[in-house]
Amino acid sequence: ISIYKFDDNFMTLYRTELVRYLTEDLGFKAENVVVQDGKGDQAEQTNQINNFITQKYDVLILNLVQASSAPEITDMCKEAGIPVVYINREPDEAEEQRWVDEKINATYVGCDARQSGTYQGEEILETETKGDINGDGKVSYIMIQGDPENVDAQYRTEFSVKALTDAGVEVEELLKQRGDWDQAKAQQIAQDALNQYGDKIDVVFCNNDAMALGALQAIEAAGRTVNKDIYLVGVDALVEVVENVMNDKMTGTVFNDYFGQAHTAADKALDFVNGKDVDNVYMVDYVKVTTENAGDILEMIK
Ligand code: BGC
């Protein structure tokens, strides 16, 4: 297993569950499950994967630093006869189709990020003011993006706003900036935006919860109050964020089901090893987190 970087809140939950499931539920010995940190550096991660190949591991589960490296890495694994399960960072469609056309033992397990974006937009539409909390007739927002090379970031950005415009709501983008999935970067972006745009901002969209937590710090420091004079949504359903949603400190989030994703990824890795048929793509559903179901979600993740 190689994770794009260990220093990522969501991927840490995912990785922990993946190892737990492989060892406790599927019965792998701990010493047979090796996990490495890609440290956010594709060259370094490619080296690690080369070492995995030299050591003849039976199957690889890879969370690439750059999804665009999938064709090269897939070919390396194919040469060596080692199947690969990609997770979390989706290779492009042409690459996924090539696995089918060339009968390559590779698959992707993830979620359709369009769904999470749409849910974020719906959460804003479901607020009392339909997102227009300052009442000036349009929904003005700032968008704090993940790594824009990542399709999760691209789709969440596009589809959160699309949910509003599809509902006939007028929108205005005040700012769109990359926060690379990172809490501290997002806090700075939100702080600068609040200084610059003040009460004009109705909504802060964040592509993930780590960044939403950063934005929340900036919002509170600026003397603003979520759900009173500004809305804030993220994606992932980190424990702290789900608690904030329950306590009316954040508007909403979307559960990025790392249990379902980790289990499917491990199951498919085992299927490859056992010579079973494996499709090229498996998608796990996102779940909208509302005040009604937040308690149930919290029970699952805590
Ligand atoms: C998650 C982010 C995470 C990223 C890593 C996304 O699906 O929502 O929190 O940083 O994956 O690739």
Side-chain angles (χ1 to χ4, degrees):
I1 301 167
S2 178
I3 300 297
Y4 94 97
K5 73 173 182 185
F6 279 7
D7 181 21
D8 176 298
N9 315 32
F10 174 73
M11 284 316 301
T12 301
L13 297 169
Y14 192 135
R15 163 166 60 100
T16 308
E17 177 58 20
L18 183 57
V19 173
R20 192 208 59 75
Y21 182 73
L22 282 164
T23 52
E24 287 178 25
D25 293 5
L26 295 186
F28 281 79
K29 288 196 184 126
E31 64 264 32
N32 289 337
V33 179
V34 172
V35 192
Q36 289 197 343
D37 181 359
K39 296 186 183 149
D41 179 341
Q42 188 57 61
E44 165 137 6
Q45 190 185 39
T46 303
N47 269 335
Q48 289 171 1
I49 296 168
N50 263 316
N51 286 334
F52 285 153
I53 290 174
T54 317
Q55 292 166 49
K56 296 199 167 45
Y57 279 91
D58 292 301
V59 58
L60 305 183
I61 298 178
L62 302 179
N63 172 213
L64 293 181
V65 176
Q66 279 168 355
S68 57
S69 302
E72 181 198 337
I73 307 239
T74 307
D75 284 339
M76 279 161 40
C77 296
K78 179 188 153 198
E79 280 294 288
I82 301 176
V84 42
V85 178
Y86 290 108
I87 56 168
N88 173 259
R89 298 191 151 190
E90 189 172 7
D92 64 26
E93 254 176 73
E95 173 62 5
E96 292 171 341
Q97 186 53 43
R98 184 175 78 96
W99 306 336
V100 178
D101 297 342
E102 300 180 18
K103 297 194 172 30
I104 297 174
N105 279 338
T107 188
Y108 173 70
V109 176
C111 296
D112 182 347
R114 286 172 282 207
Q115 192 183 34
S116 52
T118 303
Y119 285 163
Q120 285 188 297
E122 287 175 6
E123 286 169 354
I124 296 302
L125 286 171
E126 285 155 14
T127 62
E128 228 167 275
T129 65
K130 289 193 167 154
D132 183 18
I133 203 159
N134 65 16
D136 66 353
K138 57 182 186 243
V139 175
S140 306
Y141 65 88
I142 65 165
M143 178 69 68
I144 309 185
Q145 280 195 290
D147 171 356
E149 200 241 2
N150 203 199
V151 25
D152 280 7
Q154 293 161 13
Y155 278 154
R156 287 176 193 165
T157 298
E158 181 185 345
F159 282 78
S160 52
V161 175
K162 188 171 179 296
L164 296 180
T165 52
D166 282 355
V169 169
E170 194 190 327
V171 298
E172 177 190 27
E173 181 175 273
L174 297 171
L175 177 81
K176 178 165 74 191
Q177 206 170 320
R178 65 185 286 175
D180 294 313
W181 306 115
D182 183 85
Q183 178 162 349
K185 282 190 192 172
Q187 182 180 356
Q188 188 63 52
I189 293 168
Q191 182 187 311
D192 293 345
L194 286 158
N195 276 337
Q196 185 170 354
Y197 301 107
D199 292 344
K200 272 195 186 164
I201 307 175
D202 293 297
V203 178
V204 180
F205 282 111
C206 296
N207 283 171
N208 77 348
D209 277 354
M211 298 193 296
L213 285 169
L216 180 61
Q217 289 171 291
I219 287 169
E220 287 174 344
R224 303 278 295 268
T225 311
V226 174
N227 292 345
K228 298 244 158 23
D229 57 34
I230 196 163
Y231 296 119
L232 172 64
V233 288
V235 174
D236 281 340
L238 300 180
V239 168
E240 200 181 335
V241 173
V242 177
E243 286 171 349
N244 284 341
V245 172
M246 290 175 80
N247 299 330
D248 202 30
K249 277 178 75 183
M250 285 171 80
T251 312
T253 185
V254 178
F255 180 41
N256 192 356
D257 181 5
Y258 57 88
F259 295 99
Q261 293 173 74
H263 300 179
T264 308
D267 289 344
K268 295 308 151 193
L270 196 58
D271 283 352
F272 270 136
V273 172
N274 290 328
K276 293 199 184 145
D277 282 342
V278 175
D279 289 344
N280 63 336
V281 177
Y282 293 88
M283 289 298 188
V284 173
D285 271 330
Y286 284 101
V287 183
K288 202 196 278 189
V289 179
T290 59
T291 34
E292 287 81 55
N293 70 358
D296 296 337
I297 303 258
L298 198 58
E299 221 162 278
M300 186 161 34
I301 61 180
K302 246 189 155 171

XYZ file of all heavy atoms in Angstrom, residues 4 8 10-11 63 88-89 150 152 156 181 207-208 235-236 256 286, ligand 1:
170
model
N -0.674 8.703 -0.700
C -0.032 9.875 -1.302
C 0.731 10.719 -0.291
O 1.809 11.213 -0.567
C -1.039 10.700 -2.112
C -1.706 11.851 -1.391
C -1.234 13.157 -1.523
C -2.810 11.643 -0.564
C -1.842 14.213 -0.862
C -3.421 12.686 0.094
C -2.929 13.968 -0.053
O -3.522 15.014 0.611
N -2.445 13.718 6.016
C -3.737 14.117 5.436
C -4.802 13.475 6.319
O -4.836 12.249 6.460
C -3.820 13.582 3.995
C -5.169 13.844 3.320
O -6.204 13.345 3.809
O -5.195 14.522 2.286
N -8.007 12.901 6.194
C -8.928 11.907 5.649
C -8.204 10.617 5.287
O -8.648 9.520 5.628
C -9.671 12.474 4.435
C -10.523 11.448 3.756
C -11.707 11.016 4.343
C -10.125 10.859 2.567
C -12.484 10.033 3.742
C -10.895 9.871 1.965
C -12.075 9.466 2.554
N -7.058 10.737 4.612
C -6.346 9.532 4.199
C -5.794 8.749 5.394
O -5.535 7.563 5.296
C -5.235 9.858 3.195
C -5.714 10.147 1.778
S -6.995 9.040 1.103
C -6.209 7.418 1.178
N -2.574 4.905 -3.705
C -3.201 6.229 -3.642
C -2.136 7.171 -4.214
O -1.225 7.604 -3.516
C -3.518 6.523 -2.164
C -3.989 7.931 -1.874
O -3.698 8.470 -0.810
N -4.703 8.537 -2.780
N -8.882 6.507 -4.185
C -9.019 7.928 -3.807
C -8.690 8.966 -4.885
O -9.370 9.973 -4.978
C -8.212 8.201 -2.521
C -8.157 9.670 -2.152
O -7.170 10.347 -2.395
N -9.233 10.175 -1.605
N -7.645 8.769 -5.673
C -7.330 9.769 -6.699
C -7.511 9.106 -8.055
O -6.714 8.263 -8.456
C -5.912 10.299 -6.517
C -5.784 10.997 -5.173
C -4.509 11.763 -5.027
N -4.751 12.866 -4.124
C -3.909 13.860 -3.914
N -2.767 13.903 -4.543
N -4.215 14.828 -3.075
N -6.674 17.145 -8.954
C -7.482 16.047 -8.457
C -8.937 16.180 -8.910
O -9.539 17.231 -8.745
C -7.405 16.162 -6.935
C -7.679 14.879 -6.220
O -7.981 14.912 -5.060
N -7.597 13.777 -6.884
N -11.564 15.013 -7.611
C -12.439 15.321 -6.460
C -12.572 16.836 -6.304
O -13.666 17.354 -6.065
C -11.851 14.762 -5.157
C -12.113 13.271 -4.991
O -12.622 12.646 -5.942
O -11.782 12.731 -3.909
N -16.146 18.691 -7.129
C -16.838 19.311 -5.982
C -17.024 20.794 -6.243
O -18.063 21.381 -5.930
C -16.053 19.062 -4.686
C -16.166 17.631 -4.234
C -15.318 17.333 -3.016
N -15.217 15.882 -2.815
C -14.334 15.293 -2.028
N -13.475 16.027 -1.333
N -14.308 13.984 -1.917
N -6.202 20.907 0.173
C -6.812 20.014 1.170
C -6.330 20.334 2.586
O -6.577 19.564 3.523
C -6.510 18.533 0.890
C -6.843 18.026 -0.474
C -5.955 17.580 -1.416
C -8.140 17.869 -1.060
N -6.620 17.169 -2.543
C -7.957 17.322 -2.352
C -9.449 18.142 -0.624
C -9.018 17.043 -3.213
C -10.501 17.850 -1.487
C -10.277 17.312 -2.752
N -13.681 22.236 -0.373
C -13.685 20.916 -1.018
C -13.498 19.779 -0.012
O -13.751 18.628 -0.345
C -12.596 20.809 -2.095
C -12.916 21.494 -3.410
O -12.047 21.599 -4.274
N -14.145 21.957 -3.583
N -13.011 20.063 1.188
C -12.984 19.007 2.222
C -13.140 19.620 3.623
O -13.155 20.859 3.786
C -11.720 18.125 2.121
C -10.463 18.778 2.673
O -10.433 19.982 2.952
N -9.416 17.988 2.842
N -16.606 18.531 3.030
C -16.835 17.130 2.623
C -15.861 16.262 3.423
O -14.705 16.672 3.604
C -16.526 16.907 1.126
C -16.637 15.416 0.751
C -17.415 17.743 0.221
N -16.293 15.099 3.832
C -15.547 14.012 4.469
C -16.302 13.475 5.676
O -16.338 12.287 5.895
C -14.126 14.382 4.950
C -13.092 14.414 3.817
O -13.346 13.798 2.773
O -12.047 15.069 3.993
N -17.697 10.975 3.339
C -16.856 10.334 2.326
C -16.544 8.957 2.900
O -15.648 8.818 3.727
C -15.593 11.203 2.171
C -14.742 10.850 0.976
O -15.021 9.897 0.264
N -13.692 11.623 0.765
N -21.598 8.583 -1.532
C -21.466 9.585 -0.463
C -22.793 9.658 0.296
O -23.838 9.268 -0.232
C -21.224 10.971 -1.059
C -19.833 11.239 -1.578
C -19.549 11.174 -2.938
C -18.806 11.608 -0.720
C -18.280 11.463 -3.431
C -17.540 11.893 -1.197
C -17.280 11.825 -2.555
O -16.025 12.116 -3.016
C -10.804 13.979 0.568
C -9.757 14.918 1.083
C -8.394 14.324 0.914
C -8.169 13.911 -0.527
C -6.848 13.236 -0.723
C -10.482 13.595 -0.852
O -11.424 12.669 -1.319
O -12.062 14.584 0.612
O -9.970 15.222 2.429
O -7.420 15.285 1.284
O -9.203 13.030 -0.913
O -6.664 12.861 -2.071
